[in-house]
Amino acid sequence: QVHVVESGGGSVQPGGSLRLSCAASGSIRRSYVMGWYRQAPGKQRELVAIITVSGTTNYADSVRGRFTISGDSAKNTVYLQMNTLNAEDTAVYYCNVQDVFGTGYWGQGTQVTVSS
């Protein structure tokens, strides 16, 4: 089946940076929408950033200017460069890839912790 794996999470100090990676493999062919979501304790999962097959991107207001999403839909890989991290960015970050049929696939999540 389709397997989605994130990596790159960890603990950093405020102001630090992390680069998250995600790769989907298996039966999926080209992904048409790829994105990053995050969920902090007691909060709903929220959109962080998405990128479409055409390269169009969209960001949550809270991360715009600090985070950059990139990827290759043909390779089903997506990245999230996170700069100027702050405590509000602490969450489990999930990767989601959507195929041509509109089916989305989630990764298991990777923890990002920003603390002094």
Side-chain angles (χ1 to χ4, degrees):
Q1 291 284 52
V2 177
H3 300 276
V4 180
V5 180
E6 305 101 330
S7 63
S11 298
V12 297
Q13 295 183 336
S17 299
L18 285 173
R19 182 176 175 84
L20 305 184
S21 300
C22 174
S25 61
S27 61
I28 192 172
R29 301 169 81 171
R30 174 185 291 270
S31 56
Y32 283 78
V33 181
M34 301 183 291
W36 290 95
Y37 299 74
R38 67 186 182 186
Q39 186 168 24
K43 298 181 180 179
Q44 292 185 319
R45 186 173 300 186
E46 64 177 354
L47 171 71
V48 177
I50 57 172
I51 184 168
T52 71
V53 66
S54 66
T56 301
T57 59
N58 195 17
Y59 297 89
D61 289 342
S62 60
V63 307
R64 185 175 292 108
R66 299 188 297 119
F67 292 8
T68 302
I69 188 170
S70 62
D72 187 336
S73 62
K75 297 181 179 180
N76 300 310
T77 57
V78 62
Y79 307 92
L80 186 68
Q81 178 66 46
M82 306 185 294
N83 298 326
T84 319
L85 287 162
N86 57 61
E88 296 178 352
D89 298 315
T90 295
V92 177
Y93 284 70
Y94 297 90
C95 176
N96 182 269
V97 297
Q98 186 179 112
D99 63 20
V100 67
F101 304 107
T103 301
Y105 302 92
W106 291 97
Q108 80 289 346
T110 184
Q111 177 71 47
V112 172
T113 302
V114 185
S115 65
S116 300

